[in-house]
Amino acid sequence: MTSDKAVLIHFSGHDHPGLTAELTSSLARHQIVVLDIGQAVVHESVSLGILIQMPTAGSFASAKTDLTARANELNLQVRFVSVPDDSLHHWLRGLHKQHFIITVLGRSICANHLARVTSIVAAHEMNVDRIDRLSGQLSSDDPSGNACIELAVSGEGAREPAMRAEFLVAAQQLSIDIAFQRESIFRRNRRLFAFDMDSTLIQGEVIDELAKLAGVGDQVSRITEEAMRGQLNFDESFRQRVALLKGLEEQHIHTLLRKIPLAEGAERLIRTLRLLGYKTAILSGGFTFFAHHLQQMLGIDYVHANELEIIDGVVTGRVIPPIVNGDRKADLLAEIARDEDISLEQVVAVGDGANDIPMLRLAGMGIAYRAKPLVRQSAPQSISSLGLDGLLYLIGVRDRDLHPHEPSA
């Protein structure tokens, strides 16, 4: 053992307060140099690993005897493993690998989900460095419950595109979401969330509901669907749809404010973001009258949407330019970030339609939320299985972090 330069000491057993302090104090008494340390607790069982620099033979024998006795007193198992020089060098080289975060989300997470995800990781010769549960539970009888685990992995960055493609297929087959992102200083330091409105923050398309009031619902819905799939130019399709609203009385428009509900988890997400100090924005190809209603309801900081022209209490069938299309959304996102002195790396954009793709690609994190296939394939991240509050997991927020602020049952 003395020919090697390091020793890994592993403690395991029932966890209790003060355990780590007791063990590290024993190391300190022998002036042991710690090279690495890691601890995990699962269901009150602790696993603590400490990599130490090999001291002189005599002093290590004394330290080993002391640590073994202390572990026995604490009802812990202890193992001492000599680390060969080549293994130590391999570990040191690993510190310079690319680091990634894999977030697995669903209503529940089962062993087959974990097996599929970790098999993909292993197939690409990446190492799982850490696994954390971010949700309260991984399985629940509540059909609207959230389940989430986060894996920190490391390996070669060149593997990233292939892994993303495999995770996308796995997510579709398993009916879960798998987010794969590079670990960086920005991941837990986002500062601005920008949302599309229709079918993202709210459950439906305002223009479709207006069309129903005007008696042209089927015509407008068909055009809307083609536009969101990217089959029609947004500006032209938008003008066509608005033209069909001509003659609709203004008094009918405002009945929609009470008719279209918020998306699942929207209120909790926005409330939490405001609590954490985030700026929020609505960048919508929908209409300002509804966007401003959401702004007042949720406390949104910025709103940019289309202005429906109304003269003498009647919709004219025209929209006041400029139209908020995909390129305009991206420009507005960059403008807000610049005005707030926020790096684009610190921006999260969320949307569901083809006209959201430019801003999803521009933001540091672009998320396709319950989106059309074209958007899911084009966006860096895609979430479909949970409500909007599931996005909190992607910025590393755990349920237990928010527990004191949640309303009591």
Side-chain angles (χ1 to χ4, degrees), residues 103-124:
T103 312
V104 184
L105 311 98
R107 294 303 182 185
S108 65
I109 296 176
C110 307
N112 63 316
H113 301 148
L114 300 177
R116 182 70 174 275
V117 170
T118 53
S119 293
I120 293 173
V121 172
H124 288 274

Side-chain angles (χ1 to χ4, degrees), residues 90-399:
H90 182 267
W91 168 71
L92 290 171
R93 288 195 300 272
L95 298 178
H96 301 288
K97 290 182 178 179
Q98 293 281 348
H99 293 266
F100 302 89
I101 296 295
I102 302 170
T103 312
V104 184
L105 311 98
R107 294 303 182 185
S108 65
I109 296 176
C110 307
N112 63 316
H113 301 148
L114 300 177
R116 182 70 174 275
V117 170
T118 53
S119 293
I120 293 173
V121 172
H124 288 274
E125 300 179 351
M126 287 204 174
N127 187 66
V128 177
D129 302 319
R130 171 180 55 79
I131 302 177
D132 286 331
R133 172 177 48 82
L134 302 189
S135 58
Q137 300 181 59
L138 294 183
S139 181
S140 171
D141 294 332
D142 183 358
S144 63
N146 291 345
C148 177
I149 64 166
E150 179 183 277
L151 296 86
V153 305
S154 56
E156 297 301 326
R159 303 276 186 171
E160 182 178 354
M163 290 184 71
R164 283 188 181 278
E166 291 188 41
F167 283 140
L168 181 62
V169 172
Q172 293 172 343
Q173 292 176 345
L174 297 173
S175 298
I176 58 174
D177 293 313
I178 306 171
F180 184 58
Q181 54 184 310
R182 286 177 179 256
E183 179 65 291
S184 73
I185 61 173
F186 298 112
R187 189 178 73 88
R188 294 176 184 267
N189 190 31
R190 310 290 184 185
R191 295 176 56 198
L192 168 65
F193 264 72
F195 299 92
D196 175 44
M197 180 175 68
D198 298 66
S199 297
T200 299
L201 273 181
I202 59 175
Q203 298 181 41
E205 299 282 333
V206 172
I207 196 167
D208 289 352
E209 297 301 322
L210 290 174
K212 291 176 185 177
L213 294 175
V216 291
D218 291 343
Q219 294 170 261
V220 168
S221 291
R222 186 164 53 251
I223 299 172
T224 297
E225 188 63 25
E226 291 176 352
M228 291 300 98
R229 289 198 302 262
Q231 296 174 343
L232 288 177
N233 173 271
F234 180 84
D235 288 20
E236 181 55 35
S237 70
F238 188 65
R239 291 191 185 95
Q240 290 178 21
R241 287 176 287 169
V242 172
L244 291 170
L245 302 179
K246 183 178 180 179
L248 181 63
E249 295 182 2
E250 183 179 12
Q251 62 184 357
H252 296 313
I253 290 175
H254 296 286
T255 63
L256 295 184
L257 300 180
R258 298 182 300 274
K259 183 177 179 181
I260 304 177
L262 290 171
E264 178 193 355
E267 189 170 3
R268 180 174 184 262
L269 171 62
I270 301 299
R271 184 176 71 244
T272 303
L273 292 176
R274 292 182 64 191
L275 175 71
L276 298 176
Y278 285 74
K279 293 294 183 179
T280 54
I282 291 175
L283 304 179
S284 173
F287 298 110
T288 53
F289 80 91
F290 207 104
H292 286 140
H293 166 67
L294 293 183
Q295 182 177 33
Q296 293 178 355
M297 179 191 303
L298 300 174
I300 303 292
D301 295 297
Y302 292 91
V303 165
H304 293 280
N306 291 303
E307 187 72 36
L308 187 62
E309 185 180 70
I310 299 174
I311 297 178
D312 296 330
V314 177
V315 174
T316 66
R318 295 187 294 272
V319 63
I320 298 174
I323 292 176
V324 179
N325 56 22
D327 291 338
R328 177 73 175 148
K329 286 187 178 187
D331 290 343
L332 289 167
L333 183 68
E335 180 182 307
I336 294 171
R338 185 169 58 250
D339 290 346
E340 291 285 347
D341 196 24
I342 294 174
S343 164
L344 286 172
E345 285 287 345
Q346 297 174 283
V347 174
V348 180
V350 186
D352 75 301
N355 63 321
D356 295 313
I357 292 175
M359 75 171 183
L360 298 185
R361 289 177 170 170
L362 181 65
M365 179 187 288
I367 303 170
Y369 176 72
R370 298 187 180 181
K372 284 70 178 174
L374 172 67
V375 188
R376 288 201 303 269
Q377 295 165 10
S378 302
Q381 310 295 343
S382 177
I383 300 297
S384 298
S385 64
L386 299 184
L388 273 177
D389 54 341
L391 304 187
L392 293 169
Y393 296 132
L394 298 190
I395 57 173
V397 176
R398 302 167 297 184
D399 284 353

